[in-house]
Amino acid sequence: MSAEESDNFAIDVRSLNKHFGDKHVVNNVSLQVRRGEIFGFLGPNGSGKTTSIRLMCGLLTPDSGSGTCLGYDIHTESDKIKREVGYMTQKFSYWDDLTIRENLDFVARMYGMPNRRVAVEKTLEDLGLTTRANQLTGTLSGGWKQRLALAACMLHQPRLLLLDEPTAGVDPTARRDFWEELHRLAAQGISVLVSTHYMDEAERCHKLAYIAYGKLLAQGYAADIVAEQGLHTWTIHGEHLTELSDQLRCAPGVDQTVAFGAALHVSGRDATQLEKSVHEIAAARGLRVEPSSTGLEDVFIYIMSRSQDNIGATH
Amino acid sequence: MDNFFSFSRWWSIVLKEFLQLRRDRVTFGMIVGIPLIQLALFGYAINTDPKNLPTAVIAADQSEFTRTLVAALQTSGYFVVTEQLRTEEEGRAALAQGRVQFVLNIPVDFTRRLLRGERPALLLEADATDPAATGMALGAINQIAQTVVMRDVTGSLAHLAGKSSPFEVRVHRLYNPENNSQFNTVPGLMGVVLTMTLVLMTGLAMTRERERGTMENLLAMPVRPVEVVTGKIVPYIAIGLIQSSIILLAAWLLFRVPFIGSLFAVYVAALLFIAANLTVGIMLSSVAQNQLQAMQMTMFYFMPNILLSGFMFPFRGMPQWAQAIGNVLPLTYFNRLIRGILLKGNDWIDLWPNLWPIALFTVVMMVIAVKFYRRTLD
Ligand SMILES: Nc1ncnc2c1ncn2[C@@H]1O[C@H](COP(=O)(O)OP(=O)(O)O)[C@@H](O)[C@H]1O
Ligand SMILES: [Mg+2]
């Protein structure tokens, strides 16, 4: 790969591996994030998202694999990476027994910011926390902590943000504001890698990667990931969907059913068989059926279950 | 240059530690509470019966009788003659530096005057800093002398046998003539308190960051290990000095311990000893996984220190293996320093043999601590 090409990537890592004991937590992960891109990192709990992010910013040393972060080698230049990356940890990691202002001031000093006081006051103002600046950080609510953490990891104006489940446990309004802020930042050329569990957030990313059991199962634009699986989906509306779903799963052409409240998504790769089965079973119960587009969630559940089958098969 | 050590980053670590400390009431209570509790608990010494105490002999008179006497001292088990000296000055120096516990001075003419029945005197000088270390031996000395006269004299001296005390043993207790055990215990407490609090608090300081998850944040920032490690210990140096001052004040006002040596030397020794303990704490905290482990390791380190450093039992009363362990503990040397300064008025030359081991210990620990400081979360 040419130097120019790698310059376009904020993150470019190849074949990363990490074991904890005999547990293969990150398995051959390769990932490219372009500059100015919001890259969503999805996967169930314990799939290796946090570990992958730590590998990328030099907090953990990979067992094997190589790569760059903002053009700096992840093995040898983690000092430079640290200066230009803003990392928001999954667990709130600012000091509870320091006040909000003291925390921000500490961070500003760590990065040796020349206009430290101004930057801290401006951040406090932007956060709307000026009046509470002398409050102990430990007394803040979850939503406020999350906003503070984001502001703090942005304080030194990093070129790349690594956000580890930044919106977990945050209310919908705050989440919406948060994502608007992310898009504003991306528009300014800042690259963002964000891990999340929320599908609506996944839809707001430019690109996505899906990881399970330490392996990257899919990576790319949302539309491409969906198209790649070649799934067709029908939605059935009605009640007592559990029983219906059991019945459907045994029917030919049906690969998976997913319940969304009072609706059931039925997906399969064989379009004709699927349509036939869905109509037969729905008609027998007098339920309303309509064709729908396959969503990201349907696809991820599908990918997940298939990879589980594969893992099961190897044993 | 900014890459290797940034003063401002280091200073902000220092500030952060002070801020957090100020809000930690429990720790603050410990700073004042531990010295007071220890003073109350250990105000009274434990008596034991140390043997084989090193003794220097200044034999200005050498005769069959004096040789018999010295041999009898050795067989008693309390005294071991480790050196022969010529002058009283040499004797005093050996006591001041703690090389020997006793100096036996046999004056010129002793045998001649003994034969003439003039009842001459032997002088036994004792380092009575720790009354427990010398008490039993001094109690036994007259008995031993008597036995020599009763049983061991033969030949030309035989006519002395059976006579009651044809000579006298004058005991001269140096440094702590009143045999006040608190004079020994209270200064010793200083090192014990510093060991306990400082190792524990620095041990917790680092593991607390790891346990609360803030370590991950610190590691993600461009701060150097030496900045973190040294920055974190600065506040504890101040704490150590406060504790030292509390003990010194109590020693002076409540226990009336003599302050013969220089206060400056006391603080120099304290500062060095504080540094030694802080490096131990940092060492432990980089090995411990959480605060509980740090506490346990601190106790593990603390026990031999309190038992084998000569604080609780006279160092010379301990078996060889225990002395060997005691010899690698900084508290052993600090106990000698502080007692030497306060009670004996030791000068720098006397102190040196006990200063350098602490300095060496500190340097070794610091190197290990910085090496062990994990730059990643691995
Ligand atoms: N420091 C560690 N030591 C041992 N196992 C770990 C460590 N960190 C993470 N793991 C394990 O690695 C797996 C992946 O964890 P993680 O990367 O946190 O997943 P995610 O962020 O996707 O939830 C989990 O099974 C977790 O228990
Ligand atoms: Mg995680």
Side-chain angles (χ1 to χ4, degrees), chain A residues 20-21 23 25-26 43-52 54 60 90 164-165 195 197 211, chain B residues 377-378:
Chain A
F20 286 121
K23 214 153 143 203
V25 174
V26 173
N45 282 328
S47 55
K49 300 184 294 294
T50 301
T51 309
S52 302
R54 286 172 175 168
L60 285 174
Q90 179 173 355
D164 197 358
E165 295 190 30
S195 78
H197 281 305
I211 186 173
Chain B
L377 292 166
D378 288 279

Side-chain angles (χ1 to χ4, degrees), chain B residues 254-274:
Chain B
L254 300 178
F255 296 93
R256 307 266 167 217
V257 173
F259 277 59
I260 296 168
S262 91
L263 206 55
F264 176 69
V266 170
Y267 275 99
V268 169
L271 216 51
L272 183 61
F273 184 64
I274 287 167

